[in-house]
Amino acid sequence: MTHRILIVDDQPDIRKLIRLTLQHLDDAELFEAASGGEGLHLAQSVKPDLVLLDVMMPGELDGYQVCARIKKDPALGSHTKVILLTARAQKEDLENGRKAEADAYLTKAFSPLKLLDLVDEMLA
């Protein structure tokens, strides 16, 4: 079974790092978006199993808002896991992730091995 993974981050270097880390997964199809709005629209069309979502993005929607909308969407929320990615890991940030119903929270700069372990756990 092929798993669909959506990477949403406004920084091309971060998207590239994640893509290179995950490209070795045999059963993964990768999609990318550069903004929260683009990520939400792509999620609604490809219905990913997992979204790797940056918290701080410019534009109309930040990662918390995108996560909350994915989790409330009847076509996505029941099967789409969301891992929030952020450089911010204060108690308030973690609480905001919990309120948005994120499945996991990974602090940048994360190790590729930790990312792979978390992705495997979410897709198991």
Side-chain angles (χ1 to χ4, degrees):
M1 177 182 163
T2 300
H3 294 287
R4 294 178 174 194
I5 301 174
L6 172 59
I7 303 162
V8 184
D9 199 302
D10 61 310
Q11 296 182 13
D13 290 345
I14 299 292
R15 289 196 313 272
K16 182 179 180 180
L17 172 69
I18 294 170
R19 186 177 63 250
L20 290 173
T21 300
L22 299 180
Q23 74 182 5
H24 302 294
L25 297 175
D26 294 330
D27 61 346
E29 186 177 1
L30 303 178
F31 300 87
E32 292 183 35
S35 71
E38 182 185 352
L40 182 60
H41 292 300
L42 197 51
Q44 291 167 333
S45 66
V46 301
K47 308 222 179 338
D49 301 293
L50 177 64
V51 179
L52 301 169
L53 180 59
D54 184 25
V55 169
M56 296 183 295
M57 289 183 287
E60 64 192 60
L61 298 173
D62 67 17
Y64 296 125
Q65 294 167 310
V66 173
C67 180
R69 290 185 185 192
I70 287 171
K71 291 300 186 173
K72 285 180 177 47
D73 187 320
L76 296 172
S78 62
H79 83 277
T80 301
K81 302 282 187 190
V82 178
I83 300 173
L84 291 178
L85 307 173
T86 184
R88 299 171 56 175
Q90 302 299 320
K91 187 176 181 179
E92 179 182 345
D93 301 312
L94 298 172
E95 179 62 20
N96 287 337
R98 188 193 64 71
K99 286 179 184 174
E101 298 183 44
D103 296 284
Y105 205 96
L106 191 57
T107 305
K108 295 177 185 176
F110 48 82
S111 78
L113 289 176
K114 187 168 184 178
L115 175 62
L116 281 172
D117 287 346
L118 193 52
V119 167
D120 285 343
E121 179 184 323
M122 290 290 126
L123 295 177

